[in-house]
Amino acid sequence: LTATTTVLILFQMTSEGAVTLDLESVDSGTLHASLHPAHVEDAVSLKRLASIKWDFSNEHTRQLTHGIHPYPAKFIPQIPAALIEELTAPGETVADVFCGSGTTLLESLRLRRNVIGIDANPLAALISRAKVRPLDKIQTIALRSHRAICQDIAEHLRRGSKDPFDNGVHFVSSGWRPDSEVCEFWFLPHVVEELAELRKLIREISDDTVRTLCEVVFSSIIVTVSKQDSDTRYVRREKIVSVGNVFRRYIAQLDFADDSIQQLSRIVDSELRCDVLNCNVLDAPDVGFFDLLVTSPPYPNAYSYHLYHRTRLLWLGHDPESFKKIEIGSHRKYSAKGVNRADENTFRSEFETIFGWVRRHLRDQKYACFIVGDSTLAGRRIDNASLISDVGTKSGFREVARLERVIQATKKTFNPAIGKIKSEKILILRKC
Ligand SMILES: C[S@@+](CC[C@H](N)C(=O)[O-])C[C@H]1O[C@@H](n2cnc3c(N)ncnc32)[C@H](O)[C@@H]1O
């Protein structure tokens, strides 16, 4: 840019929906109002975002604490990272209103931004908190002494020892466990006793950060040692889980979490703020202002987190029913019989509420980014990106980019049977 040259910035949508950006020289003064330096910078950032290959195939996705707990439809860290880097500056605040397992939160902190995460799922809030909290030396010692106790028990179980339990091969724990119906249906009897014992040991940890991390590790093994088919299939199938397996798996996961959290502890700036709220975003939580929203909303009819996480939530002492009532997009709500069945308008009206809230909390001229795929409702394909863009436009936002990424069908969290999602959009709206 020279003193005598001005720049006209035009965004164009191609027929494929990709964004192109044109920079044209025009007479000085003609477009004076458009020449705010921030707008030029933003345009360049958007152009850079448009040139990214969003598939990020073959990239490492489990760095730092990203891999400590599985989460259905979790996005890869490279997606929020690219948006945060281009659309905010260090020290600004990012929000994710459907933060799930906290991918945006961790990436924001790594990139030196403050962050606010909201999720209605108590498990999501727990994982998010554990993922972003570093451990100091004393906490690391506490974590490792807990591990040593677990290792002793694993050793006793391996040798088939009756000590410290006195019930033959299958010991009886004095620890709390969910209702017997849940336990009998989903778990082998010795697995219930081992989980109850492990839960008891975790609850004895006095440090909140260490205990949260251990609860997350505990939760991470529950589906594997249960009869639940998989993370996104709430059906029962018989599995062989040997005596001591709960403790062995837990220790292996704990070691991984310890290693991950040490990496995190080396890079996180303790001055940065990270607030995690376990609440319904439709209840308009009071979070103050933020400079960027990056979120991957639940798509209508795609997943039922309250079901997939039911056994984990019950073991953690949470009530999946309360979460079920407020879960957006749940497959259960969209396949319900009668007048209670949710439809496209349900999702639309939920987004009207969300945009009203985002408008109050997002700073002027800042961006709201949605990573979203299509879904199928009553045999009809729903273009969720268009739906969200439409609601956003009516709520005082303007679409500035819609980029496409192909989802790798080999990813574990990808469930082609539900919603037939093969690609997703990165939708970028700007508050007018
Ligand atoms: C696609 S997932 C987000 C995954 C996240 N991006 C990650 O990387 O883990 C959508 C999230 O929306 C949450 N959710 C559903 N209904 C909600 C509501 N009413 N308020 C807040 N969060 C909700 C679900 O619990 C789920 O964690």
Side-chain angles (χ1 to χ4, degrees):
L1 289 181
T2 67
T4 54
T5 310
T6 56
V7 175
L8 169 65
I9 297 150
L10 299 172
F11 289 100
Q12 290 181 339
M13 298 300 291
T14 65
S15 51
E16 293 85 39
V19 168
T20 61
L21 176 78
D22 290 338
L23 301 175
E24 290 177 11
S25 289
V26 294
D27 278 347
S28 176
T30 319
L31 282 168
H32 191 70
S34 308
L35 278 176
H36 190 287
H39 289 181
V40 177
E41 274 169 31
D42 283 5
V44 172
S45 292
L46 288 167
K47 175 137 177 143
R48 270 202 296 262
L49 286 172
S51 69
I52 289 177
K53 201 150 174 21
W54 289 91
D55 307 351
F56 294 113
S57 38
N58 305 322
E59 293 232 10
H60 186 43
T61 55
R62 282 164 64 89
Q63 60 274 38
L64 298 169
T65 45
H66 281 303
I68 63 172
H69 197 291
Y71 203 85
K74 148 178 167 170
F75 52 27
I76 56 169
Q78 285 78 4
I79 297 175
L83 296 164
I84 294 163
E85 272 194 298
E86 285 297 348
L87 302 176
T88 58
E92 290 192 332
T93 302
V94 179
D96 185 345
V97 291
F98 298 108
C99 71
S101 61
T103 314
T104 304
L105 313 193
L106 178 54
E107 286 304 296
S108 298
L109 292 182
R110 184 179 69 77
L111 295 165
R112 311 252 177 284
R113 274 73 167 171
N114 299 298
V115 68
I116 302 159
I118 297 171
D119 204 290
N121 181 354
L123 178 60
L126 190 79
I127 303 170
S128 292
R129 288 186 186 120
K131 249 187 189 172
V132 297
R133 284 192 194 161
L135 293 188
D136 63 21
K137 281 200 178 117
I138 294 175
Q139 289 167 322
T140 301
I141 291 171
L143 180 74
R144 292 179 189 165
S145 0
H146 164 75
R147 185 207 186 273
I149 297 169
C150 294
Q151 180 69 56
D152 278 352
I153 297 177
E155 198 51 36
H156 279 292
L157 290 168
R158 194 182 64 77
R159 287 203 224 108
S161 162
K162 290 184 181 180
D163 186 26
F165 313 104
D166 60 1
N167 191 28
V169 177
H170 298 193
F171 66 87
V172 175
S173 167
S174 61
W176 178 93
R177 73 278 320 274
D179 286 352
S180 52
E181 267 170 57
V182 173
C183 289
E184 279 160 28
F185 190 81
W186 291 108
F187 298 91
L188 292 165
H190 68 275
V191 171
V192 173
E193 300 306 326
E194 289 182 33
L195 285 173
E197 189 64 17
L198 190 47
R199 186 181 183 279
K200 192 175 85 180
L201 291 173
I202 293 170
R203 289 177 76 83
E204 284 165 7
I205 300 171
S206 56
D207 185 282
D208 184 54
T209 306
V210 178
R211 194 176 55 253
T212 302
L213 180 65
C214 293
E215 281 174 344
V216 167
V217 174
F218 173 73
S219 166
S220 78
I221 65 162
I222 285 178
V223 170
T224 319
V225 300
S226 77
K227 298 180 187 180
Q228 183 175 331
D229 182 72
S230 67
D231 252 2
T232 51
R233 276 200 88 217
Y234 191 65
V235 290
R236 190 168 80 147
R237 81 174 155 84
E238 292 306 323
K239 295 185 201 165
I240 298 165
V241 185
S242 58
V243 170
N245 194 277
V246 166
F247 275 86
R248 284 196 300 277
R249 277 186 187 278
Y250 176 76
I251 291 165
Q253 284 298 109
L254 197 63
D255 288 344
F256 178 74
D258 185 352
D259 191 43
S260 308
I261 216 90
Q262 300 307 325
Q263 291 174 35
L264 175 85
S265 308
R266 284 194 285 274
I267 62 131
V268 159
D269 175 352
S270 56
E271 299 290 301
L272 292 169
R273 217 185 82 216
C274 176
D275 298 334
V276 181
L277 280 75
N278 177 212
C279 65
N280 183 357
V281 64
L282 300 175
D283 286 345
D286 186 11
V287 296
F289 287 101
F290 47 83
D291 304 279
L292 173 70
L293 174 79
V294 178
T295 199
S296 160
Y299 322 152
N301 204 25
Y303 290 100
S304 290
Y305 288 94
H306 69 272
L307 264 193
Y308 303 152
H309 288 159
R310 190 159 180 273
T311 47
R312 300 190 205 265
L313 286 168
L314 289 169
W315 270 104
L316 290 166
H318 293 290
D319 174 17
E321 293 305 306
S322 326
F323 169 43
K324 176 181 172 180
K325 288 191 191 117
I326 56 173
E327 184 181 347
I328 293 173
S330 127
H331 180 53
R332 281 281 153 132
K333 280 187 188 161
Y334 285 83
S335 53
K337 300 262 179 289
V339 288
N340 288 334
R341 186 186 183 122
D343 60 20
E344 198 180 324
N345 288 329
T346 317
F347 195 59
R348 186 174 280 276
S349 104
E350 285 163 343
F351 262 87
E352 282 164 3
T353 308
I354 293 167
F355 272 114
W357 178 86
V358 174
R359 230 189 122 63
R360 291 196 293 284
H361 293 274
L362 180 66
R363 288 202 168 86
D364 289 345
Q365 303 297 323
K366 297 288 186 175
Y367 297 93
C369 309
F370 300 88
I371 294 82
V372 67
D374 293 349
S375 45
T376 306
L377 284 187
R380 243 171 13 97
R381 198 158 184 86
I382 307 294
D383 175 353
N384 293 312
S386 295
L387 187 155
I388 294 172
S389 176
D390 187 43
V391 180
T393 307
K394 290 178 180 135
S395 314
F397 289 78
R398 188 168 58 90
E399 178 173 338
V400 293
R402 194 183 298 202
L403 314 164
E404 183 146 13
R405 70 180 297 266
V406 176
I407 302 173
Q408 287 169 273
T410 50
K411 286 265 173 222
K412 261 196 193 156
T413 48
F414 176 76
N415 185 349
I418 299 172
K420 300 187 177 61
I421 304 156
K422 294 197 179 71
S423 72
E424 57 188 7
K425 306 280 178 354
I426 293 139
L427 177 69
I428 308 181
L429 306 183
R430 183 179 201 168
K431 185 178 164 187
C432 302

